[in-house]
Amino acid sequence: MTDAGAPPAPSQNAPSSRSVWTRLRPLTPGLIALATVLIFAIDVHFPIGFAPWLPYFLLALPIARLYDPRILLFATAFWSVAIMGEPFLPSHSGESLPLAVFNRSVGIGTLWILTAFLYFDAQGRRARQRSEAKLQAIVEGALDAVVAMDRHGTVVEWNPQAERIFGFSREEAMGKPLVELIVPGDQRAAHIEGLKRYLATGTERMLRQRIEVAALRKNGARFPAELTVIPLMLGKDVLFSSFIRDISERQRAEDALRQTTAFIESLFEHLPDMVFVKDAQDLRFVRFNKAGEALLGYSRSDLLGKNDYDFFPKQEADFFTAKDRETLAGGCLIDIPEEPVQTKDMGVRLLHTKKIPICDDDGTPRYLLGISEDVTERKEAEAELVRARLAAEAASKAKSDFLANMSHEMRTPLNAIMGMADYLARTPLSPQQLALVERCTKASDALLRMIEDLLLTAKAESGTLTLTSEPFVLREIMLECTNLLGTEAQGKGLTVTTHLDPAIPARMKGDPHRFQQVLLNLVRNAIKFTEAGSITVQAKLRAIDDAQCKVQFAVADTGIGIIDELRDRLFERFSQADSRANRHYGGVGLGLAICRQLVDLMGGRIWVESAPGQGSTFSFTIPFGLVQTGMETQEPSTATARGRIFPSTMRESGAKEWHVLLAEDSIESQHVMRLYLSKSPYRLDCADSGTSVVETFKSGRYDLVLMDLHMPDIDGCEATRRIRAWETERDLPRTPIVALTADGFAESRQRSAEAGCDDFLTKPVKMDTVLSTIRRFVTETKPTPPPGRMKSDQAGLLDAELNRMRPKFLQNRRLDIEELQRAVESGNFDQIKLIGHRIKGLAGTYGLHAIGAIGGALEEAAVRRHLEHIRAGITDLRTAVEAAQHSLSSSGHDRSPSPTTQ
């Protein structure tokens, strides 16, 4: 017998008789063999007929219980041979052979019948044992506690998982009331009452379903459990099978999931942006947050289950649906920066929307998540900022244009005044007349500086003041400053000396024009406030490296000095150390303020050291760039055209006339220029517009062009570009062009240079300046003598020319009045502005300043489009022209000339 044929070991729940058979099993083989031998020996010596089957049947009982049924069949066959073979043994006695065979055949048959009963019983028992073992294994291997109790509530089954969950061993639990083991005290009464109700009525209220209850461990700890109780009817008795699961971990996970879900739900609901979810198939809304409800104006119940076509115009719905399908097809995030949407209560809003698909495990899109931010106010704010920036840029440009126009228009009458004074100073005059002319010239110079200071301050305040960076020679700039003011200093008996540190590099990079302005202002101030002594201009090297050098400049005087209390106010606008100084010395108090602005702009610092009666020292530092080795050496911009030879201007020795072309729309300015060049070897041709100067230049041959930058039609810069292009096309030598304008800003200088001009003159311009500029460009066979005093006949010619031109001027103003009225009727403000500009620029030449002021007012009113002011200006202009005409008639100068276009 092998273990393979052994029945399964009985479980701990088998009857006690089974344990007896189990204990006898090791002795059974020997006992059966001994009994078989004894029965055979007795039958041999004392034949018992058919009765031998009975003891063999008794031996079959333990074999059927302890061994495989096949062993029983083998033993029965062995016994049958023994029973049937015994009568044939020689030792057999007492019974005939036939009778013995018959008796033993009956006995063997009886044994096999009984063995068959035992065999089938053993087979059924073993099947039951296997089923019970399988069930027991399932119960013992279950992850849930399996507890059974009888109708009295006593525990009759307690699996290992119940031991682990509750802490009671099987021995401790078996036979104990279940309610006392695992049911909390506050719930025991209800448990007992429910059991009684079921036994009495059979009502299954809490049976055959999963319920969550509180359970008790051996240590008294309560924990959540999931309980299922199933009643089992065993005949008339009942058994309650309970399945109990510890759900502490699950409940903690559910609590965590519930908290996470609540957090996500709260986050979803309280996000300030609209958040929505659509199903991927029909694109119907399945989730919507509060912000979305507030934005669209629809409640959640109105939105859920609907699609875009239920709420929005078809065009918008088509757009939304197309973007949704694009997102689902692409499987990635789509960003829509601007998406207009028609809301219920707030009109059209602009949204910034992001959409992304939500996919299942296999990557198939199930939902579409969208987040939309209402950017309407932000876009409006951005648009407002853009409008504000454009308005600021337009205002800045308008201010710059206004400053340029103001510079042009203020310098134009000054040009006539200073030109005429300069011309008169060259005529034979009495000492008293000469003193008056010189005083007029001095006043004009002061007025010009004041205009420049005011305009420069305005540019600095508007942020339009810029710097250039170009190579220059510091020594030349300093000497030019002292030379320009040397005559003024000598007139007061002052000496001006210049000291330049030899360690300072000869050439450096910076803005020489702005640096010169600072130095001129400080030296001019020193001359103004010094009655006796000297003025010293110094430059010292403070620091130097590979890229730049820092230079400290000082202007020291022996003047009146400054008290400590007033020193801090020196660099403020419209401020002087003593309010009485501007009455004694003149000026508006802008010079030092401009110096500080320019020095700050150049990255330096300015300060003053002074004591009353001991003079003052104004110091400032400026970092200049260094001119690297190998850079192209070029003359500074202040002398760009000096010494340059222009092949187109080379004349043969026998030439007697030099051709100069003047581009100037002001007839009076043309006449002034003709007076300047009347006794020179230069022939002057004039053009009154940008187009005409280009055509005139192409039709003649000119040695030099004086180009006014402010002209009707096209300006001087465009005209210069066209002339340069024409020269390039025909491979002609470059003709020098000098920009001539009342706008002295550095931007205009730069713009003219970029257009192709070779030099730049700022109105008002004097005769010496015009002639010396022409001489720099035109190579002559004979030196032109410098202009000197005019003879009396020349002065008479000038007066006669002016008297002849004044009636023409007034007559043309009458034509301007008619043209102004037509422009008012047609709303042509540009024409009004042009006429006002022309009147303002021309009137000062003839001393008719009231008419010039009216022209300026008309120009400003046209810019502002104030029709009432324009009409009032026309009336004032008519009155002023009539008054000037009456004055001329009274003086006998009215010759009623034919009007000319001016």
Side-chain angles (χ1 to χ4, degrees), residues 193-250:
E193 189 65 27
L195 179 62
K196 291 179 178 179
R197 182 172 55 252
Y198 172 76
L199 293 174
T201 64
T203 304
E204 300 181 359
R205 292 179 54 187
M206 304 296 291
L207 303 178
R208 302 182 188 276
Q209 57 183 313
R210 296 180 184 273
I211 59 175
E212 291 187 7
V213 297
L216 200 65
R217 302 188 195 276
K218 183 178 180 179
N219 59 8
R222 294 169 66 119
F223 68 94
E226 184 180 79
L227 171 66
T228 302
V229 180
I230 300 176
L232 303 174
M233 300 304 298
L234 303 177
K236 294 183 179 180
D237 202 4
V238 62
L239 186 68
F240 297 95
S241 178
S242 303
F243 300 91
I244 306 170
R245 179 176 298 173
D246 185 354
I247 59 173
S248 300
E249 290 297 329
R250 191 183 78 183

Side-chain angles (χ1 to χ4, degrees), residues 294-313:
L295 175 62
L296 298 183
Y298 297 100
S299 67
R300 195 168 314 187
S301 59
D302 295 334
L303 291 164
L304 296 182
K306 307 292 181 60
N307 59 28
D308 293 323
Y309 290 96
D310 295 322
F311 303 99
F312 307 118

Side-chain angles (χ1 to χ4, degrees), residues 40 44-45 85-95 97:
F40 184 79
V44 168
H45 297 285
E86 191 272 334
F88 295 97
L89 293 177
S91 58
H92 178 75
S93 62
E95 189 177 24
L97 182 61

Side-chain angles (χ1 to χ4, degrees), residues 776-797:
R776 285 206 311 269
F777 286 102
V778 179
T779 303
E780 300 175 327
T781 56
K782 294 182 179 180
T784 302
R789 286 292 183 88
M790 287 188 180
K791 297 180 180 179
S792 58
D793 58 342
Q794 295 176 345
L797 288 174

Side-chain angles (χ1 to χ4, degrees), residues 398-464:
K399 186 171 184 179
S400 299
D401 292 343
F402 173 75
L403 292 176
N405 291 333
M406 284 298 297
S407 174
H408 181 75
E409 301 309 326
M410 294 173 74
R411 291 169 187 265
T412 298
L414 263 181
N415 185 40
I417 295 171
M418 298 181 72
M420 297 303 175
D422 183 41
Y423 200 81
L424 285 174
R426 303 174 190 278
T427 64
L429 299 173
S430 65
Q432 184 179 5
Q433 291 173 331
L434 183 59
L436 292 174
V437 171
E438 290 176 349
R439 188 171 297 177
C440 178
T441 301
K442 185 176 180 180
S444 299
D445 290 338
L447 180 59
L448 179 60
R449 285 196 301 271
M450 184 170 61
I451 291 172
E452 290 176 346
D453 289 348
L454 288 170
L455 294 175
L456 188 60
T457 300
K459 283 184 67 67
E461 291 295 324
S462 66
T464 57

